[in-house]
C-alpha cells in the first residue's frame, strides 16, 4: 500500500494528542491522529481543569462546550475527610478556588473559571472540534515504529481491522501515547525518576450518594479507614464524577505484591466500606489497577519527533495537574510547528519546546508526589500510622472529641494537617506561575523580582518576557473582553497605549517583511480598547508608549517599558526581537 502523507502525525487521542490536533487544524496545518483503541476514553480518569487550561480552550474555541458539560466550580467546593461517607466527618477544606480569598484571586487572574471535566467528556469535545476543522482520525491503528531523515519521519502503523501494516510519511511526529509511550522509548528520550512507586485501584460505580454529599458538595471525599494507607494515595478516596450519582473510588494495594483479584464482589466490598452503608444500591461499572509514578522526560524531542503529555511526565493525580499539563504541552508546541511548517520560522524555534515545557513537567511530577506525602500529617494527628487493631484506630479517632488537654491538642493538630493540604487543593501558583526561559523569549534586561508570596499557593501576574500575559477586563464599545482575548488565534499580538503609534506601524511593516500576521491593539481612552477600571495600567508594567509583544500561546515574548524614538527605531527593535524568536537573525 502506498504511504499516507501529512504534515504532522499524532500518535494518541488523549488530552495531549487531541489538543495538538485541534490547535494544528485551527491553524490550518494538515494532521493525522492514530490511536490503537477503537473509541475515545470510556473512563473519567483526569478531571480537574484549571484556569490556564480553560484559557487554552477559550482561545481554541471550545470553552463554552466544556463549560456546558463540566461540573461547575462551586460544586467542587469541599474536600471532606471522614471515616466513611455515612460516618463521622473529621474536617473539610475549601478547595479548587472556592475559599473566599482564593476565589478572589481566581477572579483577578483569568477570564475563565476552573471546572471538573472528566476525560471521557473532554476527549470528544477536543476530537470532534479537531475533526470538524480538518484532522484525519484513525481508530484501531497501532503505532509500530518510526524512521526519520533530514526531511521527515516515516511511521509504520498496523490497521487492526484489516490486520495489515502501512506507512505514514509526516514532516513531524508527535508521540502523545501516554505513560507507556512507545514513541518516547523509540526516540530515546532520557527520563528522570522512577515508575511503580505505589499501587492503586480505580473502581467506577453508580450510586445515589446525594444523602451524604449534596449538603457538602465537593470533588473528593477522603476516607480514613483501616487498610486505606496502603498504596500511596494516603486514604481511600471517593471521587465525584457527576453529581451525585456517578463515582470513582481510588483504593491502594501493596505494589510489591500482585494487584488483588478485581472481581465485582471485591469492588463492591471496597465501595461499601468507604460509603458506610451496606444496603445502598450500587452498580459496579469497571475496576482497574495502576501504579503511582514519579518520572519525567529531561528532553521532549529527538530530531523531528516530539512527545507530549503523559509520555513526558508521569505522576499521580494529586493536584489535578495531569491533563492540564498535557493540554498545555501541545498548545505550546502547535504554534511553533505551524510557523516552522509555513516557513515563517527556522526549525530552531522548536528547540524552545523542551526548554520551556521540560521544567514544567519536572515541577508538576515533583509537586504531585509531594502532595501524597503531605497527607501523612492527617494520619499522624490521629495516631493512625502505627500498627494497631481496628478497634484502637476507632478509639484514636474518637479521642479527638475528649474534653482533655490531649484531646484539644489532637484537634489542633488535625486542623493544621487538613489546612496544610492547601498545597494540593488550592495551588493557584503551580497552575499559573510558569515562567519560560528560551530562545523564544527576549529578556528586557530587568532583574527578575521573584515572587512576593509562596509561588506554589499564590499566582503573581507579570508582564515580564516569559510570563503569561496578565488578565484585565477591557471594553470595546459595549463589549467587555479580557486582555487575553486580544491575542491567540495562532498569531503574534502587539499591545501598546496612547502614543505607541510607532509600534503599531512597525508591526505592520515587520509583519509584511517576515510574512507574519501580527495583530495590534492600542489600549486607552478613546481607542478601540479602553481600560475603564485602570486594571491594565496597573498590571502592564510599561508606560503608555511602551509595548508588549505576545506570542500565539498568550505568553509575553518581548517588552519595552517606554516608547521608540520613531517608526524606524520601532521597526529595528521589534524586527530584531521577532527575528531572534523565529530563529531568523
Amino acid at each position: 500500500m502506498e504511504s499516507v502523507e501529512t504534515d504532522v502525525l499524532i500518535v494518541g487521542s488523549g488530552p495531549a494528542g487531541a489538543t495538538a490536533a485541534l490547535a494544528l487544524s485551527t491553524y490550518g496545518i494538515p494532521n493525522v491522529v492514530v490511536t490503537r483503541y477503537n473509541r475515545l476514553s470510556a473512563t473519567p480518569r483526569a478531571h480537574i481543569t484549571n484556569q490556564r487550561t480553560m484559557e487554552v480552550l477559550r482561545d481554541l474555541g471550545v470553552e463554552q462546550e466544556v463549560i456546558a458539560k463540566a461540573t461547575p466550580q462551586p460544586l467542587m467546593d469541599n474536600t471532606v475527610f471522614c471515616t466513611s461517607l455515612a460516618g463521622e466527618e473529621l474536617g473539610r477544606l475549601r478547595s479548587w478556588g472556592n475559599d473566599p480569598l482564593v476565589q478572589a484571586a481566581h477572579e483577578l487572574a483569568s477570564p475563565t473559571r476552573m471546572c471538573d471535566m472528566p476525560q471521557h467528556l473532554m476527549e470528544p469535545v477536543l476530537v470532534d472540534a479537531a475533526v470538524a476543522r480538518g484532522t484525519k482520525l484513525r481508530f484501531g491503528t497501532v503505532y509500530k515504529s518510526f524512521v526519520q531523515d533530514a526531511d521527515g519521519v516515516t511511521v509504520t502503523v498496523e490497521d487492526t481491522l484489516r490486520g495489515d501494516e502501512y506507512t505514514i510519511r509526516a514532516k513531524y511526529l508527535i508521540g502523545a501515547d501516554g505513560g507507556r509511550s512507545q514513541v518516547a522509548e523509540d526516540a530515546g528520550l532520557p527520563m528522570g525518576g522512577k515508575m511503580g512507586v505505589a499501587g492503586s485501584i480505580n473502581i467506577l460505580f453508580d450510586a445515589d450518594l446525594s444523602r451524604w454529599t449534596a449538603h457538602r458538595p465537593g470533588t473528593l471525599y477522603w476516607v480514613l479507614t483501616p487498610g486505606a494507607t496502603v498504596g500511596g494515595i494516603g486514604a481511600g478516596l471517593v471521587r465525584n464524577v457527576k453529581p451525585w450519582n456517578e463515582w470513582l473510588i481510588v483504593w491502594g494495594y501493596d505494589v510489591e505484591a500482585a494487584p488483588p483479584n478485581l472481581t465485582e464482589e471485591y469492588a463492591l466490598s471496597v465501595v461499601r466500606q468507604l460509603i458506610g452503608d451496606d444496603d445502598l444500591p450500587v452498580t459496579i461499572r469497571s475496576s482497574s489497577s495502576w501504579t503511582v509514578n514519579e518520572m519525567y522526560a529531561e528532553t521532549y524531542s529527538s530530531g523531528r519527533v516530539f512527545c507530549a503529555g503523559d509520555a513526558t511526565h508521569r505522576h499521580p493525580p494529586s493536584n489535578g495537574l495531569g491533563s492540564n499539563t498535557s493540554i498545555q504541552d501541545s498548545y505550546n508546541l502547535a504554534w511553533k510547528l505551524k510557523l516552522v511548517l509555513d516557513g515563517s520560522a527556522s526549525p530552531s524555534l522548536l528547540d524552545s519546546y523542551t526548554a520551556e515545557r521540560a521544567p514544567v513537567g519536572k515541577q508538576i511530577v515533583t509537586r504531585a508526589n509531594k502532595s501524597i506525602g503531605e497527607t501523612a500529617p492527617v494520619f499522624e494527628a490521629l495516631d493512625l500510622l502505627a500498627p494497631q487493631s481496628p478497634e484502637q484506630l476507632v478509639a484514636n479517632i474518637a479521642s479527638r472529641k475528649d474534653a482533655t488537654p490531649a484531646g484539644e491538642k489532637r484537634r489542633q493538630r488535625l486542623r493544621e494537617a487538613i489546612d496544610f493540604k492547601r498545597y494540593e487543593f488550592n495551588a493557584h501558583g503551580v497552575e499559573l506561575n510558569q515562567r519560560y526561559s528560551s530562545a523564544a523569549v527576549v529578556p528586557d534586561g530587568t532583574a527578575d523580582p521573584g515572587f512576593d508570596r509562596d509561588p506554589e499557593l499564590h499566582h503573581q501576574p507579570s508582564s515580564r518576557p516569559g510570563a503569561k500575559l496578565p488578565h484585565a477586563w477591557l471594553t470595546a464599545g459595549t463589549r467587555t473582553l479580557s486582555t487575553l482575548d486580544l491575542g491567540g488565534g495562532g498569531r503574534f499580538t502587539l499591545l501598546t497605549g496612547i502614543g505607541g503609534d510607532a509600534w503599531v506601524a512597525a508591526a505592520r511593516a515587520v509583519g509584511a517583511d517576515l510574512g507574519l500576521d501580527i495583530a495590534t491593539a492600542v489600549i486607552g481612552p478613546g481607542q478601540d480598547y479602553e481600560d475603564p477600571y485602570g486594571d491594565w495600567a496597573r498590571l502592564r508594567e510599561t508606560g503608555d508608549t511602551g509595548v508588549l509583544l505576545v506570542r500565539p500561546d498568550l505568553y509575553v515574548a518581548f517588552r519595552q517599558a517606554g516608547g521608540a524614538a520613531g517608526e524606524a527605531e520601532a521597526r529595528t527593535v521589534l524586527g530584531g526581537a521577532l527575528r531572534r524568536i523565529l530563529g531568523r537573525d
Side-chain angles (χ1 to χ4, degrees):
M1 181 177 294
E2 294 184 3
S3 178
V4 174
E5 293 190 3
T6 188
D7 278 4
V8 182
L9 173 63
I10 302 161
V11 179
S13 59
T19 301
L22 174 56
L24 289 169
S25 288
T26 302
Y27 303 154
I29 301 299
N31 64 92
V32 173
V33 175
V34 298
T35 172
R36 65 171 52 245
Y37 303 106
N38 293 317
R39 57 166 298 170
L40 300 179
S41 175
T43 59
R45 290 188 285 183
H47 61 115
I48 299 297
T49 307
N50 66 35
Q51 286 181 295
R52 176 55 186 158
T53 295
M54 291 301 289
E55 290 173 356
V56 171
L57 302 179
R58 184 185 184 94
D59 180 41
L60 295 178
V62 294
E63 179 194 23
Q64 291 305 314
E65 188 172 353
V66 170
I67 290 172
K69 297 177 183 296
T71 298
Q73 189 172 13
L75 293 184
M76 303 164 66
D77 188 356
N78 297 285
T79 296
V80 175
F81 295 82
C82 56
T83 60
S84 69
L85 291 191
E88 288 191 69
E89 182 174 312
L90 304 173
R92 306 181 197 178
L93 183 70
R94 295 184 180 94
S95 303
W96 311 120
N98 283 291
D99 177 279
L101 294 177
V102 181
Q103 186 177 43
H106 276 236
E107 293 275 348
L108 292 170
S110 175
T112 67
R113 294 294 169 268
M114 149 177 283
C115 64
D116 189 307
M117 183 66 169
Q119 187 169 334
H120 70 299
L121 300 179
M122 178 70 83
E123 283 186 18
V125 170
L126 300 176
V127 170
D128 287 353
V131 170
R133 299 177 196 181
T135 293
K136 297 177 181 178
L137 173 65
R138 293 295 178 268
F139 289 110
T141 304
V142 179
Y143 161 84
K144 305 295 287 188
S145 64
F146 74 80
V147 177
Q148 63 174 315
D149 52 51
D151 300 316
V153 188
T154 301
V155 180
T156 300
V157 297
E158 178 187 356
D159 185 310
T160 58
L161 180 62
R162 295 195 309 250
D164 61 348
E165 294 184 355
Y166 63 97
T167 61
I168 301 176
R169 178 68 175 174
K171 295 173 183 174
Y172 292 96
L173 168 64
I174 299 177
D177 48 337
R180 297 182 179 87
S181 173
Q182 188 64 45
V183 176
E185 183 174 338
D186 291 348
L189 300 189
M191 297 281 180
K194 58 183 179 179
M195 298 282 278
V197 298
S200 289
I201 297 165
N202 282 358
I203 302 171
L204 186 63
F205 68 100
D206 294 336
D208 181 2
L209 303 185
S210 58
R211 175 181 172 186
W212 300 291
T213 58
H215 66 287
R216 49 182 180 181
T219 294
L220 305 175
Y221 299 79
W222 293 65
V223 181
L224 280 63
T225 184
T229 58
V230 177
I233 200 67
L237 179 63
V238 183
R239 182 193 128 193
N240 178 231
V241 176
K242 271 294 182 181
W244 302 108
N245 299 289
E246 296 182 37
W247 299 88
L248 177 74
I249 275 178
V250 181
W251 183 253
Y253 72 90
D254 186 353
V255 75
E256 299 299 327
N261 187 10
L262 300 181
T263 63
E264 183 169 337
E265 291 74 20
Y266 174 83
L268 190 58
S269 70
V270 174
V271 170
R272 293 204 183 283
Q273 181 177 355
L274 270 60
I275 294 175
D277 183 346
D278 290 341
D279 298 321
L280 181 75
V282 174
T283 300
I284 303 295
R285 286 199 196 178
S286 64
S287 301
S288 59
S289 61
W290 52 281
T291 59
V292 175
N293 302 315
E294 188 172 1
M295 182 168 281
Y296 50 86
E298 297 167 351
T299 300
Y300 279 25
S301 67
S302 175
R304 291 175 171 268
V305 180
F306 297 80
C307 287
D310 288 355
T312 54
H313 35 80
R314 304 161 191 179
H315 53 90
S318 314
N319 288 81
L321 297 168
S323 64
N324 292 288
T325 310
S326 300
I327 287 170
Q328 293 162 36
D329 284 346
S330 294
Y331 187 59
N332 179 287
L333 177 60
W335 70 269
K336 297 171 183 177
L337 284 170
K338 182 258 187 189
L339 292 180
V340 171
L341 285 164
D342 71 14
S344 300
S346 161
S348 65
L349 172 62
L350 298 173
D351 296 339
S352 66
Y353 174 58
T354 285
E356 294 178 352
R357 294 306 297 173
V360 175
K362 182 178 180 180
Q363 178 199 17
I364 62 103
V365 168
T366 301
R367 178 66 257 174
N369 279 276
K370 188 176 180 181
S371 290
I372 287 180
E374 290 170 351
T375 305
V378 178
F379 285 86
E380 292 168 353
L382 298 169
D383 289 336
L384 300 183
L385 293 179
Q388 52 198 299
S389 67
E391 292 76 18
Q392 185 60 51
L393 293 175
V394 172
N396 290 349
I397 291 174
S399 68
R400 81 192 191 285
K401 296 180 283 189
D402 292 347
T404 63
E408 182 174 0
K409 183 178 181 180
R410 193 180 294 281
R411 291 188 290 274
Q412 179 181 346
R413 290 178 63 198
L414 181 60
R415 288 193 298 269
E416 291 172 350
I418 291 175
D419 182 66
F420 194 60
K421 294 297 287 180
R422 289 179 299 143
Y423 281 90
E424 179 172 357
F425 304 121
N426 279 313
H428 201 209
V430 173
E431 297 166 356
L432 294 182
N433 278 343
Q434 291 93 349
R435 302 287 163 77
Y436 293 155
S437 178
S438 76
V441 173
V442 180
D444 66 354
T446 61
D448 187 346
F451 294 90
D452 298 333
R453 297 190 293 173
D454 189 320
E456 290 197 318
L457 289 180
H458 304 288
H459 168 52
Q460 184 169 310
S462 173
S463 71
R464 285 181 59 78
K468 183 176 75 71
L469 178 68
H471 155 68
W473 289 114
L474 307 175
T475 58
T478 59
R479 293 189 300 133
T480 299
L481 70 166
S482 170
T483 47
L484 298 176
D485 295 328
L486 302 180
R491 60 184 183 174
F492 285 88
T493 302
L494 183 141
L495 305 182
T496 188
I498 293 176
D501 297 344
W503 295 116
V504 175
R508 286 195 291 266
V510 171
D513 182 45
L514 297 178
L516 289 176
D517 178 15
I518 304 174
T520 59
V522 180
I523 303 170
Q527 307 304 307
D528 288 340
Y529 304 99
E530 300 198 34
D531 180 24
Y533 303 106
D535 291 338
W536 177 240
R538 287 187 288 271
L539 288 168
R540 67 189 181 188
E541 300 175 308
T542 68
D544 282 349
T545 60
V547 67
L548 296 179
L549 179 66
V550 183
R551 305 185 332 181
D553 60 353
L554 303 174
Y555 269 71
V556 178
F558 165 77
R559 176 177 74 173
Q560 182 164 309
E567 183 180 334
E569 179 181 314
R571 289 178 63 174
T572 299
V573 171
L574 184 62
L578 271 166
R579 286 184 175 88
R580 175 175 172 176
I581 292 164
L582 300 173
R584 294 173 61 176
D585 54 1

